[in-house]
Amino acid sequence: MIVRRAAALLAGCAASLALAVPAAQAATTVDLVRYYNGAKHWSTTGEAPGGKYRPEGRVTILANRAPGTIPLYGCMAGHAKLDQFLSLRRDCEGDNNSYLRLEGYLYAKPTAGFTRPIYRCHWAAADSHFYSIKADCENTPTTKVTAEGRLGYVRG
């Protein structure tokens, strides 16, 4: 009798815990789109900025935090007109730069399904930042693009 009551009590506790702990949240993805207007780039999971920006590429990132991910922020550079860039830092890497929005989350290391590296790039001639999935940032002898480092990993 005591054993049955103890078993029933344990079963009740387990059922209560199951109700109290939310089910694992399914990974929601979102497209990070690289836009270009002929002079400047803009990379966001949100709406395209005003003007004549057209999509130039897209990659898939997570919309919500998950184990092993890092946040990706959209920022505006303070030193150059309309130089929007992506950063892993909420402070946008400097006093003159400003935070625009949380774009989503990247994996810090290659993880099942998210194995393609993404890089931050700077095109000095236009003072324009953008992202690329190519380590050389699509540099050519005429564009002179600088790779500023790997941000993380996207679906690939």
Side-chain angles (χ1 to χ4, degrees):
M1 184 81 148
I2 293 175
V3 171
R4 274 192 231 156
R5 284 188 184 165
L9 180 62
L10 287 174
C13 289
S16 295
L17 285 173
L19 291 175
V21 177
Q25 187 174 4
T28 303
T29 59
V30 64
D31 284 344
L32 176 66
V33 182
R34 182 173 100 182
Y35 295 97
Y36 183 60
N37 71 358
K40 294 282 191 172
H41 292 90
W42 195 283
S43 302
T44 185
T45 56
E47 296 294 317
K52 299 181 181 194
Y53 283 89
R54 299 285 179 246
E56 191 175 54
R58 70 182 64 237
V59 294
T60 302
I61 65 174
L62 290 179
N64 305 313
R65 183 179 297 275
T69 62
I70 49 178
L72 181 65
Y73 303 103
C75 303
M76 185 66 72
H79 72 280
K81 186 177 178 184
L82 294 177
D83 184 17
Q84 184 265 354
F85 67 99
L86 299 172
S87 177
L88 300 178
R89 292 178 35 188
R90 170 68 170 77
D91 68 1
C92 294
E93 305 170 37
D95 294 335
N96 293 329
N97 300 330
S98 56
Y99 170 82
L100 297 175
R101 60 181 277 136
L102 172 66
E103 298 294 347
Y105 296 86
L106 303 172
Y107 278 98
K109 297 178 181 176
T111 303
F114 290 79
T115 56
R116 177 177 281 169
I118 182 174
Y119 303 90
R120 186 171 81 186
C121 311
H122 183 248
W123 181 22
D127 217 350
S128 181
H129 282 88
F130 62 95
Y131 76 79
S132 178
I133 56 172
K134 296 185 177 184
D136 70 354
C137 286
E138 304 162 46
N139 188 39
T140 69
T142 58
T143 58
K144 308 255 191 253
V145 175
T146 303
E148 293 186 335
R150 184 177 61 234
L151 294 167
Y153 293 85
V154 299
R155 181 170 279 163

